[in-house]
Tab-separated table of all heavy atoms in Angstrom:
chain	number	residue	atom	x	y	z
A	1	GLY	N	-14.419	12.749	-2.174
A	1	GLY	CA	-14.416	13.678	-3.290
A	1	GLY	C	-14.377	13.000	-4.647
A	1	GLY	O	-14.378	13.671	-5.680
A	2	GLY	N	-14.332	11.653	-4.640
A	2	GLY	CA	-14.404	10.905	-5.881
A	2	GLY	C	-13.086	10.374	-6.410
A	2	GLY	O	-13.035	9.829	-7.522
A	3	LEU	N	-12.017	10.482	-5.636
A	3	LEU	CA	-10.708	9.991	-6.076
A	3	LEU	C	-10.482	8.551	-5.630
A	3	LEU	O	-10.896	8.162	-4.539
A	3	LEU	CB	-9.596	10.872	-5.494
A	3	LEU	CG	-9.493	12.286	-6.071
A	3	LEU	CD1	-8.731	13.178	-5.123
A	3	LEU	CD2	-8.842	12.253	-7.445
A	4	LYS	N	-9.818	7.774	-6.466
A	4	LYS	CA	-9.348	6.456	-6.060
A	4	LYS	C	-8.015	6.643	-5.340
A	4	LYS	O	-7.168	7.436	-5.785
A	4	LYS	CB	-9.176	5.539	-7.258
A	4	LYS	CG	-10.483	5.095	-7.902
A	4	LYS	CD	-10.241	4.042	-8.963
A	4	LYS	CE	-11.542	3.521	-9.536
A	4	LYS	NZ	-11.320	2.469	-10.560
A	5	LEU	N	-7.817	5.924	-4.254
A	5	LEU	CA	-6.611	6.080	-3.455
A	5	LEU	C	-5.865	4.756	-3.313
A	5	LEU	O	-6.487	3.685	-3.227
A	5	LEU	CB	-6.965	6.611	-2.063
A	5	LEU	CG	-7.772	7.919	-2.006
A	5	LEU	CD1	-8.077	8.274	-0.568
A	5	LEU	CD2	-7.053	9.043	-2.711
A	6	GLY	N	-4.555	4.836	-3.272
A	6	GLY	CA	-3.738	3.654	-3.076
A	6	GLY	C	-2.520	3.970	-2.243
A	6	GLY	O	-2.130	5.146	-2.114
A	7	ILE	N	-1.930	2.953	-1.650
A	7	ILE	CA	-0.671	3.090	-0.920
A	7	ILE	C	0.355	2.198	-1.597
A	7	ILE	O	0.115	1.006	-1.816
A	7	ILE	CB	-0.822	2.694	0.557
A	7	ILE	CG1	-1.817	3.621	1.264
A	7	ILE	CG2	0.532	2.740	1.269
A	7	ILE	CD1	-2.108	3.224	2.701
A	8	LEU	N	1.497	2.777	-1.945
A	8	LEU	CA	2.592	2.058	-2.571
A	8	LEU	C	3.849	2.329	-1.765
A	8	LEU	O	4.372	3.441	-1.768
A	8	LEU	CB	2.770	2.521	-4.024
A	8	LEU	CG	4.006	2.029	-4.774
A	8	LEU	CD1	4.115	0.520	-4.746
A	8	LEU	CD2	3.969	2.556	-6.216
A	9	SER	N	4.321	1.305	-1.074
A	9	SER	CA	5.425	1.469	-0.129
A	9	SER	C	6.581	0.537	-0.466
A	9	SER	O	6.400	-0.508	-1.086
A	9	SER	CB	4.924	1.157	1.290
A	9	SER	OG	5.985	1.142	2.218
A	10	ALA	N	7.790	0.918	-0.056
A	10	ALA	CA	8.951	0.031	-0.168
A	10	ALA	C	8.975	-0.991	0.959
A	10	ALA	O	9.776	-1.918	0.938
A	10	ALA	CB	10.246	0.840	-0.160
A	11	ALA	N	8.080	-0.838	1.938
A	11	ALA	CA	7.968	-1.815	3.028
A	11	ALA	C	7.311	-3.090	2.505
A	11	ALA	O	6.637	-3.072	1.466
A	11	ALA	CB	7.140	-1.225	4.165
A	12	PRO	N	7.470	-4.209	3.202
A	12	PRO	CA	6.792	-5.439	2.785
A	12	PRO	C	5.273	-5.263	2.744
A	12	PRO	O	4.705	-4.499	3.535
A	12	PRO	CB	7.211	-6.453	3.861
A	12	PRO	CG	8.506	-5.924	4.395
A	12	PRO	CD	8.357	-4.434	4.357
A	13	THR	N	4.627	-5.992	1.858
A	13	THR	CA	3.182	-5.866	1.688
A	13	THR	C	2.437	-6.127	2.998
A	13	THR	O	1.456	-5.444	3.306
A	13	THR	CB	2.689	-6.839	0.612
A	13	THR	OG1	3.338	-6.512	-0.639
A	13	THR	CG2	1.189	-6.747	0.415
A	14	LYS	N	2.899	-7.089	3.777
A	14	LYS	CA	2.199	-7.397	5.028
A	14	LYS	C	2.220	-6.220	5.993
A	14	LYS	O	1.277	-6.021	6.761
A	14	LYS	CB	2.804	-8.637	5.692
A	14	LYS	CG	4.236	-8.499	6.174
A	14	LYS	CD	4.721	-9.786	6.845
A	14	LYS	CE	6.146	-9.627	7.381
A	14	LYS	NZ	6.605	-10.872	8.027
A	15	GLU	N	3.276	-5.393	5.941
A	15	GLU	CA	3.329	-4.204	6.792
A	15	GLU	C	2.345	-3.145	6.307
A	15	GLU	O	1.733	-2.448	7.118
A	15	GLU	CB	4.746	-3.642	6.827
A	15	GLU	CG	5.744	-4.480	7.607
A	15	GLU	CD	7.066	-3.781	7.805
A	15	GLU	OE1	7.146	-2.557	7.543
A	15	GLU	OE2	8.028	-4.450	8.208
A	16	VAL	N	2.215	-3.020	5.001
A	16	VAL	CA	1.259	-2.063	4.437
A	16	VAL	C	-0.162	-2.472	4.820
A	16	VAL	O	-0.986	-1.645	5.224
A	16	VAL	CB	1.406	-1.971	2.919
A	16	VAL	CG1	0.440	-0.927	2.352
A	16	VAL	CG2	2.845	-1.614	2.525
A	17	GLN	N	-0.443	-3.765	4.717
A	17	GLN	CA	-1.777	-4.267	5.057
A	17	GLN	C	-2.054	-4.116	6.549
A	17	GLN	O	-3.175	-3.766	6.949
A	17	GLN	CB	-1.892	-5.736	4.637
A	17	GLN	CG	-1.871	-5.918	3.123
A	17	GLN	CD	-1.754	-7.370	2.708
A	17	GLN	OE1	-1.315	-8.230	3.483
A	17	GLN	NE2	-2.141	-7.663	1.479
A	18	ALA	N	-1.047	-4.353	7.387
A	18	ALA	CA	-1.222	-4.204	8.835
A	18	ALA	C	-1.496	-2.734	9.183
A	18	ALA	O	-2.326	-2.433	10.056
A	18	ALA	CB	0.027	-4.694	9.565
A	19	PHE	N	-0.806	-1.830	8.511
A	19	PHE	CA	-1.041	-0.398	8.707
A	19	PHE	C	-2.477	-0.039	8.343
A	19	PHE	O	-3.163	0.691	9.079
A	19	PHE	CB	-0.050	0.389	7.833
A	19	PHE	CG	-0.321	1.859	7.747
A	19	PHE	CD1	-0.060	2.705	8.819
A	19	PHE	CD2	-0.845	2.412	6.581
A	19	PHE	CE1	-0.310	4.082	8.726
A	19	PHE	CE2	-1.088	3.773	6.484
A	19	PHE	CZ	-0.823	4.601	7.547
A	20	ALA	N	-2.956	-0.565	7.233
A	20	ALA	CA	-4.324	-0.286	6.793
A	20	ALA	C	-5.346	-0.816	7.790
A	20	ALA	O	-6.345	-0.142	8.104
A	20	ALA	CB	-4.563	-0.910	5.422
A	21	GLN	N	-5.097	-1.996	8.313
A	21	GLN	CA	-6.021	-2.588	9.282
A	21	GLN	C	-5.999	-1.824	10.591
A	21	GLN	O	-7.041	-1.623	11.229
A	21	GLN	CB	-5.658	-4.054	9.502
A	21	GLN	CG	-5.918	-4.938	8.292
A	21	GLN	CD	-5.357	-6.338	8.440
A	21	GLN	OE1	-4.740	-6.669	9.462
A	21	GLN	NE2	-5.528	-7.168	7.431
A	22	ARG	N	-4.817	-1.386	11.005
A	22	ARG	CA	-4.669	-0.686	12.277
A	22	ARG	C	-5.486	0.608	12.289
A	22	ARG	O	-6.052	0.980	13.327
A	22	ARG	CB	-3.189	-0.394	12.528
A	22	ARG	CG	-2.857	0.119	13.910
A	22	ARG	CD	-1.435	-0.226	14.286
A	22	ARG	NE	-0.439	0.349	13.407
A	22	ARG	CZ	0.393	-0.359	12.629
A	22	ARG	NH1	0.320	-1.669	12.620
A	22	ARG	NH2	1.298	0.247	11.881
A	23	TYR	N	-5.560	1.263	11.136
A	23	TYR	CA	-6.269	2.549	11.073
A	23	TYR	C	-7.554	2.467	10.244
A	23	TYR	O	-8.130	3.490	9.903
A	23	TYR	CB	-5.331	3.628	10.525
A	23	TYR	CG	-4.184	3.889	11.463
A	23	TYR	CD1	-2.918	3.385	11.198
A	23	TYR	CD2	-4.383	4.587	12.651
A	23	TYR	CE1	-1.861	3.600	12.082
A	23	TYR	CE2	-3.341	4.801	13.541
A	23	TYR	CZ	-2.082	4.308	13.254
A	23	TYR	OH	-1.045	4.507	14.142
A	24	GLN	N	-7.980	1.233	9.931
A	24	GLN	CA	-9.258	0.983	9.272
A	24	GLN	C	-9.402	1.826	8.001
A	24	GLN	O	-10.366	2.570	7.806
A	24	GLN	CB	-10.415	1.255	10.242
A	24	GLN	CG	-10.353	0.372	11.480
A	24	GLN	CD	-11.466	0.644	12.475
A	24	GLN	OE1	-12.119	1.684	12.424
A	24	GLN	NE2	-11.704	-0.295	13.371
A	25	LEU	N	-8.436	1.657	7.118
A	25	LEU	CA	-8.404	2.431	5.882
A	25	LEU	C	-9.122	1.742	4.718
A	25	LEU	O	-9.269	2.340	3.647
A	25	LEU	CB	-6.952	2.697	5.468
A	25	LEU	CG	-6.075	3.473	6.457
A	25	LEU	CD1	-4.678	3.631	5.894
A	25	LEU	CD2	-6.687	4.827	6.787
A	26	GLN	N	-9.563	0.511	4.912
A	26	GLN	CA	-10.080	-0.282	3.809
A	26	GLN	C	-11.297	0.345	3.120
A	26	GLN	O	-11.523	0.097	1.931
A	26	GLN	CB	-10.438	-1.698	4.279
A	26	GLN	CG	-9.257	-2.512	4.757
A	26	GLN	CD	-8.983	-2.346	6.242
A	26	GLN	OE1	-9.371	-1.340	6.839
A	26	GLN	NE2	-8.344	-3.334	6.852
A	27	ASP	N	-12.068	1.126	3.826
A	27	ASP	CA	-13.245	1.740	3.226
A	27	ASP	C	-12.905	2.927	2.336
A	27	ASP	O	-13.763	3.396	1.565
A	27	ASP	CB	-14.227	2.215	4.315
A	27	ASP	CG	-14.887	1.064	5.044
A	27	ASP	OD1	-14.904	-0.058	4.489
A	27	ASP	OD2	-15.381	1.279	6.167
A	28	TYR	N	-11.664	3.408	2.415
A	28	TYR	CA	-11.285	4.619	1.687
A	28	TYR	C	-10.145	4.389	0.696
A	28	TYR	O	-10.053	5.099	-0.309
A	28	TYR	CB	-10.871	5.705	2.675
A	28	TYR	CG	-11.864	5.902	3.778
A	28	TYR	CD1	-11.656	5.356	5.047
A	28	TYR	CD2	-13.054	6.597	3.557
A	28	TYR	CE1	-12.591	5.501	6.061
A	28	TYR	CE2	-13.997	6.754	4.567
A	28	TYR	CZ	-13.754	6.203	5.815
A	28	TYR	OH	-14.693	6.340	6.810
A	29	VAL	N	-9.291	3.426	0.993
A	29	VAL	CA	-8.116	3.157	0.156
A	29	VAL	C	-8.293	1.796	-0.509
A	29	VAL	O	-8.612	0.807	0.150
A	29	VAL	CB	-6.825	3.181	0.999
A	29	VAL	CG1	-5.612	2.917	0.130
A	29	VAL	CG2	-6.685	4.525	1.716
A	30	SER	N	-8.069	1.756	-1.831
A	30	SER	CA	-8.357	0.543	-2.600
A	30	SER	C	-7.145	-0.352	-2.817
A	30	SER	O	-7.288	-1.528	-3.130
A	30	SER	CB	-8.931	0.922	-3.976
A	30	SER	OG	-10.096	1.708	-3.835
A	31	LEU	N	-5.934	0.194	-2.662
A	31	LEU	CA	-4.724	-0.565	-2.956
A	31	LEU	C	-3.735	-0.452	-1.806
A	31	LEU	O	-3.430	0.641	-1.343
A	31	LEU	CB	-4.074	-0.024	-4.243
A	31	LEU	CG	-2.706	-0.607	-4.601
A	31	LEU	CD1	-2.841	-2.059	-5.048
A	31	LEU	CD2	-2.037	0.228	-5.690
A	32	PHE	N	-3.224	-1.607	-1.366
A	32	PHE	CA	-2.198	-1.660	-0.314
A	32	PHE	C	-1.046	-2.496	-0.867
A	32	PHE	O	-1.045	-3.711	-0.764
A	32	PHE	CB	-2.767	-2.262	0.965
A	32	PHE	CG	-4.012	-1.565	1.437
A	32	PHE	CD1	-5.261	-2.100	1.198
A	32	PHE	CD2	-3.925	-0.349	2.091
A	32	PHE	CE1	-6.411	-1.448	1.621
A	32	PHE	CE2	-5.069	0.310	2.512
A	32	PHE	CZ	-6.314	-0.238	2.279
A	33	MET	N	-0.075	-1.834	-1.428
A	33	MET	CA	0.991	-2.500	-2.192
A	33	MET	C	2.347	-2.234	-1.564
A	33	MET	O	2.707	-1.092	-1.276
A	33	MET	CB	0.958	-2.001	-3.637
A	33	MET	CG	2.000	-2.587	-4.556
A	33	MET	SD	1.731	-1.959	-6.252
A	33	MET	CE	3.255	-2.490	-7.031
A	34	GLY	N	3.096	-3.310	-1.347
A	34	GLY	CA	4.445	-3.193	-0.822
A	34	GLY	C	5.441	-3.861	-1.754
A	34	GLY	O	5.101	-4.284	-2.862
A	35	VAL	N	6.682	-3.948	-1.310
A	35	VAL	CA	7.748	-4.588	-2.071
A	35	VAL	C	8.194	-5.824	-1.314
A	35	VAL	O	8.639	-5.732	-0.171
A	35	VAL	CB	8.937	-3.626	-2.271
A	35	VAL	CG1	10.120	-4.374	-2.881
A	35	VAL	CG2	8.533	-2.464	-3.162
A	36	ASP	N	8.045	-6.983	-1.940
A	36	ASP	CA	8.459	-8.245	-1.327
A	36	ASP	C	9.654	-8.835	-2.068
A	36	ASP	O	10.744	-8.915	-1.556
A	36	ASP	CB	7.275	-9.217	-1.302
A	36	ASP	CG	6.095	-8.645	-0.524
A	36	ASP	OD1	6.298	-8.212	0.629
A	36	ASP	OD2	4.977	-8.620	-1.073
A	37	GLU	N	9.446	-9.218	-3.297
A	37	GLU	CA	10.537	-9.670	-4.166
A	37	GLU	C	10.482	-8.833	-5.436
A	37	GLU	O	9.485	-8.194	-5.737
A	37	GLU	CB	10.370	-11.163	-4.503
A	37	GLU	CG	10.399	-12.077	-3.292
A	37	GLU	CD	11.764	-12.132	-2.622
A	37	GLU	OE1	12.767	-11.817	-3.291
A	37	GLU	OE2	11.822	-12.483	-1.431
A	38	GLY	N	11.547	-8.848	-6.180
A	38	GLY	CA	11.540	-8.106	-7.431
A	38	GLY	C	11.935	-6.669	-7.262
A	38	GLY	O	12.584	-6.289	-6.279
A	39	PRO	N	11.524	-5.813	-8.208
A	39	PRO	CA	11.979	-4.419	-8.219
A	39	PRO	C	11.453	-3.619	-7.035
A	39	PRO	O	10.394	-3.914	-6.486
A	39	PRO	CB	11.419	-3.868	-9.539
A	39	PRO	CG	10.243	-4.735	-9.838
A	39	PRO	CD	10.608	-6.096	-9.328
A	40	SER	N	12.207	-2.584	-6.673
A	40	SER	CA	11.790	-1.659	-5.633
A	40	SER	C	11.823	-0.244	-6.205
A	40	SER	O	12.183	-0.041	-7.367
A	40	SER	CB	12.699	-1.784	-4.410
A	40	SER	OG	12.237	-0.969	-3.350
A	41	LYS	N	11.411	0.717	-5.415
A	41	LYS	CA	11.504	2.106	-5.850
A	41	LYS	C	12.957	2.465	-6.135
A	41	LYS	O	13.837	2.008	-5.405
A	41	LYS	CB	10.941	3.032	-4.762
A	41	LYS	CG	9.455	2.858	-4.498
A	41	LYS	CD	9.006	3.767	-3.350
A	41	LYS	CE	7.525	3.593	-3.061
A	41	LYS	NZ	7.068	4.468	-1.957
A	42	PRO	N	13.244	3.202	-7.185
A	42	PRO	CA	12.337	4.008	-8.008
A	42	PRO	C	11.918	3.366	-9.327
A	42	PRO	O	11.611	4.096	-10.281
A	42	PRO	CB	13.181	5.256	-8.271
A	42	PRO	CG	14.572	4.710	-8.407
A	42	PRO	CD	14.651	3.580	-7.414
A	43	ASP	N	11.913	2.055	-9.420
A	43	ASP	CA	11.519	1.397	-10.665
A	43	ASP	C	10.085	1.786	-11.036
A	43	ASP	O	9.158	1.555	-10.253
A	43	ASP	CB	11.615	-0.126	-10.513
A	43	ASP	CG	11.606	-0.852	-11.845
A	43	ASP	OD1	10.790	-0.456	-12.715
A	43	ASP	OD2	12.368	-1.798	-12.013
A	44	PRO	N	9.865	2.367	-12.211
A	44	PRO	CA	8.519	2.818	-12.577
A	44	PRO	C	7.502	1.704	-12.731
A	44	PRO	O	6.293	1.962	-12.707
A	44	PRO	CB	8.750	3.558	-13.908
A	44	PRO	CG	10.006	2.977	-14.462
A	44	PRO	CD	10.856	2.680	-13.256
A	45	ILE	N	7.975	0.465	-12.875
A	45	ILE	CA	7.032	-0.642	-13.026
A	45	ILE	C	6.093	-0.753	-11.833
A	45	ILE	O	4.931	-1.152	-11.964
A	45	ILE	CB	7.771	-1.987	-13.269
A	45	ILE	CG1	6.778	-3.057	-13.763
A	45	ILE	CG2	8.488	-2.460	-11.993
A	45	ILE	CD1	7.447	-4.347	-14.198
A	46	LEU	N	6.565	-0.351	-10.653
A	46	LEU	CA	5.726	-0.398	-9.458
A	46	LEU	C	4.548	0.554	-9.594
A	46	LEU	O	3.412	0.217	-9.238
A	46	LEU	CB	6.548	-0.054	-8.219
A	46	LEU	CG	7.675	-1.016	-7.863
A	46	LEU	CD1	8.516	-0.449	-6.726
A	46	LEU	CD2	7.126	-2.379	-7.483
A	47	PHE	N	4.811	1.748	-10.101
A	47	PHE	CA	3.736	2.726	-10.279
A	47	PHE	C	2.758	2.256	-11.351
A	47	PHE	O	1.545	2.397	-11.201
A	47	PHE	CB	4.334	4.084	-10.649
A	47	PHE	CG	3.363	5.229	-10.509
A	47	PHE	CD1	3.135	5.821	-9.274
A	47	PHE	CD2	2.676	5.727	-11.607
A	47	PHE	CE1	2.239	6.879	-9.142
A	47	PHE	CE2	1.785	6.780	-11.496
A	47	PHE	CZ	1.572	7.359	-10.255
């Protein structure tokens, strides 16, 4: 429908990427972002 899509999770980035690979989301979702070091939710800097 023309929307850009992303995933922003408190899980580690490698888990977000593994989830995307498991369900072959790469053709539809442009961002796979997790929390490794630094701020976590609800810090607005992540958004």
